[in-house]
Amino acid sequence: MSSRLSELLLKATGILLMLAALGFAVSKAPDRSLESLVPRWAPPPSDFVELDGLLVHYRDQGPSSDPVPLVLMHGTSASLHTWEGWATELSATRRVISFDLPGFGLTGPNADNDYSDARYVAFVRQLLARLGVGRAIVGGNSLGGEIAWQLALADPDRVAGLVLVDAAGFDFVPESLPLGFRIARIPVLREPMRWLLPRRAIEVSVLDVYGDPGKVSAALVDRYYELALREGNRVALMRRMDQLAPTPVGRLPEIKVPTLILWGGKDRLIPLRWGHEFEKAIPGSRLVVFPNLGHVPQEEDPTATLAALRDWLPQVAR
């Protein structure tokens, strides 16, 4: 090898190392403490309650006298903020309870790293008991919807009605999987995610689940990004991905309560065909499709989706 070639290789290696170091520096994202995140992401009416070793972030809004409150659960890597548009409007006349599930948002990870569906259902039952909720209309988006319908099977006396928003549960094949989820599923790639998390990776993931990319603002990406950095959340996401398992979808016909199914026609994570499957499986359910919305329609267009909810609510006895 000539000395000139050796020199060029050394320079190229040096440049690559510098770029790698720069990339590390730019992407380095240490965990953020709960205390550092609370001022921005848990202003009133946010509150916290100790439950099963967790400090649970929740919001309990509207008249406490409401005999059948609405309980709203977010999806994977989201938070209670996804329901703000609904909660603000509904709380004028209804009690609305939302919260960060274990492993996400400000609630953070549980001590035993159990993120199975059964554990989530048990957690919700405990939390509702702590908040004095007897019967409720239970709604959820994606993972939250999966927990909602399993809660209806596990504790039918507690669930007066179901609202499933692009709900998980069937063995679906995504048309497009958000980048963050893809990384969290691959052991070799995900380990650096404990320390590195480019904001752009979160932005791409949020863009992927919206029907209209123009609705993805910098503030919205900030929220998803900063809450992903909450201490323990990145490892919790990995554990959740490891614990994905078949669900009892064969029991869906056992659900007898009024059920509203809302679905984004541009959902590429859980495509619309699965909304039709829920409608076929749950007796008397109603499916409403929003052709231009994506996987989180309640967040992307609170007004349109809330109108469908309001039209359906009189079916549920209070």
Side-chain angles (χ1 to χ4, degrees):
M1 182 182 296
S2 69
S3 60
R4 177 58 178 163
L5 181 56
S6 298
E7 182 181 349
L8 288 173
L9 286 174
L10 285 172
K11 284 184 178 180
T13 301
I15 291 171
L16 288 173
L17 289 172
M18 289 176 61
L19 289 173
L22 180 61
F24 181 85
V26 171
S27 302
K28 188 177 180 182
D31 280 344
R32 298 189 184 180
S33 68
L34 172 63
E35 293 75 17
S36 71
L37 295 168
V38 163
R40 184 173 185 184
W41 302 115
S46 281
D47 205 345
F48 291 84
V49 61
E50 291 188 22
L51 184 71
D52 195 24
L54 291 167
L55 192 61
V56 180
H57 177 220
Y58 77 102
R59 291 180 179 175
D60 190 345
Q61 301 169 255
S64 59
S65 59
D66 188 347
V68 184
L70 284 95
V71 174
L72 303 173
M73 295 181 286
H74 63 79
T76 301
S77 295
S79 64
L80 59 75
H81 303 86
T82 196
W83 300 105
E84 279 187 301
W86 279 24
T88 299
E89 294 297 321
L90 288 167
S91 61
T93 56
R94 302 292 300 256
R95 184 182 180 190
V96 183
I97 298 168
S98 56
F99 48 89
D100 290 345
L101 290 163
F104 306 111
L106 296 178
T107 296
N110 60 38
D112 58 5
N113 288 313
D114 185 351
Y115 301 102
S116 63
D117 288 357
R119 181 62 180 273
Y120 276 125
V121 170
F123 164 82
V124 174
R125 295 176 75 175
Q126 286 179 284
L127 180 60
L128 295 185
R130 174 67 66 87
L131 297 178
V133 176
R135 294 174 69 248
I137 299 169
V138 181
N141 171 230
S142 197
L143 167 62
E146 182 175 324
I147 297 168
W149 65 258
Q150 292 194 53
L151 177 66
L153 291 172
D155 196 354
D157 292 337
R158 189 181 296 277
V159 180
L162 271 178
V163 182
L164 305 180
V165 185
D166 294 70
F170 284 99
D171 186 17
F172 64 90
V173 177
E175 293 175 4
S176 179
L177 191 64
L179 178 61
F181 292 1
R182 277 182 273 161
I183 294 172
R185 289 184 173 199
I186 304 172
V188 175
L189 295 180
R190 74 188 188 184
E191 285 307 310
M193 193 173 74
R194 296 170 182 257
W195 308 281
L196 308 177
L197 188 61
R199 184 179 180 280
R200 177 59 180 167
I202 299 299
E203 183 179 15
V204 169
S205 295
V206 178
L207 286 166
D208 200 54
V209 297
Y210 264 59
D212 180 1
K215 293 182 179 179
V216 177
S217 65
L220 180 68
V221 176
D222 282 347
R223 189 187 83 207
Y224 277 95
Y225 179 62
E226 293 189 15
L227 294 178
L229 297 179
R230 193 267 194 225
E231 186 176 9
N233 278 358
R234 281 176 279 186
V235 174
L237 175 60
M238 299 176 200
R239 299 292 174 263
R240 169 63 188 170
M241 292 300 177
D242 290 342
Q243 294 168 31
L244 293 175
T247 66
V249 288
R251 294 185 58 199
L252 285 171
E254 298 176 27
I255 295 174
K256 305 301 181 185
V257 297
T259 300
L260 175 65
I261 303 164
L262 305 180
W263 221 274
K266 290 187 176 180
D267 188 346
R268 299 190 301 157
L269 177 57
I270 309 181
L272 176 58
R273 64 163 291 199
W274 300 108
H276 291 290
E277 291 297 324
F278 273 110
E279 183 184 30
K280 285 192 292 185
I282 301 175
S285 60
R286 179 199 299 180
L287 172 64
V288 180
V289 179
F290 302 90
N292 297 317
L293 302 182
H295 184 62
V296 284
Q298 82 288 352
E299 179 178 286
E300 190 174 352
D301 192 341
T303 301
T305 51
L306 186 55
L309 176 70
R310 288 187 187 279
D311 183 58
W312 170 82
L313 278 175
Q315 295 186 30
V316 185
R318 297 179 70 176

